[in-house]
Amino acid sequence: MTPLEHVHSDTLGCLWDTPRYFFFSNEVDQIIYYSHFLPVLAILFLVTVLLFSPRKTREMVLLIVTSILFVAYALINVLLWAISDPSQIMFFWSVTNYIEPLIYFTVFYLVLSFAFKEDITHKIKITLGLLYVPIIIFGPTTLNLTGYDYSNCDRLAVEGPLVMYIYILEVALVIWMFLAAMIAYRKETLPKHKKSILLLTIGSILFLFAFSFGNIFGTLFQNILGERAWIIGQYGLFGMPIFLGFITYMIVKYEAFNTKLIGVQALMLSLVVLVASLLFVAQSDITRIVAGFTLFLVTIFGISLVRGVKQEIMQREEIERLAKGLSRANERLKELDRMKSEFVSIASHQLRSPLTSIRGYASMLTEGSYGKIPAKAAEVIDRIGESARFMATSVEDYLNVSRIESGNMKYEMSDFNLKVVAERIVDDMRPIAIKKGLVLIFRSDCDGSCMIHADIGKTRQIIMNLLDNSMKYTPHGSITVVAHDDVKNKKMYLSISDTGVGINPAVIDDLFEKFIRAKNANCVNVTGTGLGLYVVKKMIVAMGGSVSVFSEGEGKGTTFKLEFPLVPGKAPGR
Amino acid sequence: MNERSMKRALRLFYLVLFVFLLLSISAGFYKYLVFHDYEIYLGEEIKSEV
């Protein structure tokens, strides 16, 4: 069979090579096959990848529908180039005018749905449907295609006013889509999604532009260039798989799709293979140059795309894993925090109030408010009072720890004379020391003002706590409190030294930790909570000071040293 | 109209549109491929009605 046997003359005398397998005619420019079959194959592959994805979002379904519509459109378009029968051309040409606006509808739907993270409203859906009604009604009439143009054997359908309506509708949809996406962009607070809205909108507009370029160019230049105008217009289709790939990449990157790396890799590989194969089958130089250039672009784009997606997926999975763990830990912490708050509430209201009553009544009984009581009973009541006092102190310690850890401890800072405060406390506590057979001494050696800037209440609490500790752990001997300053270094010190049981150097570093007590502490005082020094340290640090402890070892006494920044000035009365 | 019936109405609307779309394409099929009902232009003049 010679090539000439395919060529026939149609009814109007134009010679035409009969297409083989519907599509392949020697009359058709190679570029037409290249610009149609390549995007069709690439997009069919994309559809396959999307169809096999385990989870299908709304955007994904819309992308599949868009792709299928595009494939139908492109195949009919190739058919239009290859066939020569005017009736067939008129029919298939009219069909493309039904498909084209549908592609705009689905892309519009996809962008709005992605941008607003929800389905479009029923009103918009009805509007889109109503806008399509004229196309359905006037599709088979002369308003769509007025006739068949056979000038110079060009084989073109002459388009009527309905096509103009379709173009206006498409432009309006693009503008509407752009404005709506920009509103979503401005409303969006998440920078990641903000960026994705912008990129997806740009990608979609480029996709639609690439898709319509052939029609726009063909319609605009048909009168000047004839059939050539439509051939040049076909170059726009080259952009289709690239932009569609771009849209897919955007959606994959921003988690709307769960399509994994393998899909993107396979897609890019098939694109490269397809374009490369064209280099071998191309018959004209121009096609080879276009194919070579596209291969270069697709390879570069493919490598960066695969790398980017791979990195994104790995990072995303890692972040997801961490976020899940964090979320679980957060829930647990919230639960613990709630329980802690509940406990604090119980401690403060349910424990403290009865303790105050116990202490009050014990004190009243001892003082004889309810009549004289026997000496033995008085001793027991004393013990009850003492235990209640200890319990109240413990509760207070727990409450302080709770306040410190939740950041609710309030400090009312003011300037005051530390020497005066310390001396008063020593005077107040001296009777207790004497009762225990201890000597309590106070000395001061201030060159400066002895003034510090701290919370006076909390400072009193700290000093009383340390003095109380010293008395507890000093069975006999003396306790010396010394207030002195260092004007040169602007420091104010208060040291509390005792001749008590001392501290083992092994535990001295951990002494200010929660629930830590020296090993020999229980020998002398069994009632400590191990929270007192922790609270002291936290409080003094919060006020800008520090506390340190010195002991030469067990049985050699202990010294606690408080350090505060000295407020400049002269000591009153000096 | 509640959300559910609105959805149903919308689905019906689109179904009707789809049926009419098929009818419209079929009408084109008969017009062009069966009855050859269209005009052919040859330059400025109308050559014939096929």
Side-chain angles (χ1 to χ4, degrees), chain A residues 145-339:
Chain A
L145 301 177
T146 57
Y148 186 74
D149 184 4
Y150 227 148
S151 323
N152 311 317
C153 297
D154 271 352
R155 305 176 309 113
L156 298 170
V158 180
E159 294 177 330
L162 185 70
V163 178
M164 198 47 71
Y165 166 77
I166 291 171
Y167 288 161
I168 293 169
L169 177 64
E170 287 171 359
V171 172
L173 275 177
V174 170
I175 295 170
W176 184 1
M177 182 178 89
F178 178 75
L179 293 177
M182 285 307 104
I183 291 169
Y185 175 80
R186 288 186 69 176
K187 273 188 189 167
E188 183 60 53
T189 46
L190 222 68
K192 192 179 93 171
H193 198 249
K194 223 176 158 77
K195 194 178 157 196
S196 71
I197 292 173
L198 194 69
L199 291 174
L200 187 88
T201 312
I202 293 169
S204 302
I205 291 172
L206 287 174
F207 169 81
L208 292 175
F209 178 73
F211 170 64
S212 290
F213 178 73
N215 290 339
I216 297 166
F217 198 84
T219 308
L220 287 176
F221 296 100
Q222 184 174 340
N223 292 335
I224 307 163
L225 299 170
E227 202 183 61
R228 289 299 305 167
W230 291 96
I231 293 176
I232 294 166
Q234 302 312 308
Y235 285 94
L237 293 180
F238 291 125
M240 294 289 292
I242 296 173
F243 293 128
L244 209 63
F246 173 72
I247 293 168
T248 312
Y249 168 66
M250 286 312 305
I251 296 170
V252 168
K253 190 179 174 189
Y254 293 102
E255 292 177 82
F257 287 175
N258 267 342
T259 317
K260 293 288 176 188
L261 181 65
I262 186 79
V264 182
Q265 278 172 331
L267 174 71
M268 292 323 299
L269 192 70
S270 63
L271 256 178
V272 170
V273 171
L274 273 169
V275 181
S277 67
L278 269 155
L279 280 173
F280 298 100
V281 296
Q283 288 172 0
S284 71
D285 285 342
I286 183 82
T287 314
R288 277 193 206 98
I289 292 166
V290 171
F293 185 66
T294 314
L295 179 65
F296 173 72
L297 283 183
V298 167
T299 310
I300 300 287
F301 177 72
I303 290 169
S304 61
L305 176 70
V306 169
R307 270 191 191 164
V309 172
K310 191 177 178 180
Q311 207 177 357
E312 284 292 331
I313 288 173
M314 280 166 69
Q315 281 176 352
R316 201 179 72 204
E317 281 173 356
E318 180 64 15
I319 290 167
E320 270 172 14
R321 198 181 58 76
L322 290 172
K324 269 183 196 165
L326 209 64
S327 169
R328 271 198 299 271
N330 205 19
E331 285 302 312
R332 179 81 189 124
L333 277 174
K334 274 183 191 165
E335 177 63 16
L336 285 172
D337 194 50
R338 193 188 59 74
M339 285 164 71

Side-chain angles (χ1 to χ4, degrees), chain A residues 348-370:
Chain A
S348 58
H349 294 105
Q350 312 292 325
L351 291 174
R352 214 158 51 161
S353 312
L355 280 173
T356 313
S357 301
I358 293 168
R359 283 174 68 191
Y361 282 117
S363 168
M364 282 161 81
L365 280 170
T366 323
E367 285 163 8
S369 301
Y370 298 99

Side-chain angles (χ1 to χ4, degrees), chain B residues 2-20:
Chain B
N2 66 24
E3 181 67 18
R4 213 171 141 188
S5 48
M6 187 74 195
K7 268 188 180 172
R8 203 176 296 163
L10 204 67
R11 213 172 293 159
L12 190 71
F13 172 63
Y14 273 99
L15 185 70
V16 170
L17 275 186
F18 182 68
V19 170
F20 274 90

Side-chain angles (χ1 to χ4, degrees), chain A residues 87 90-91 94 141 145, chain B residues 28-34 36 38:
Chain A
S87 300
M90 287 297 280
F91 171 66
S94 75
T141 68
L145 301 177
Chain B
F29 181 84
Y30 276 94
K31 179 181 158 70
Y32 299 118
L33 291 172
V34 179
H36 307 290
Y38 56 92

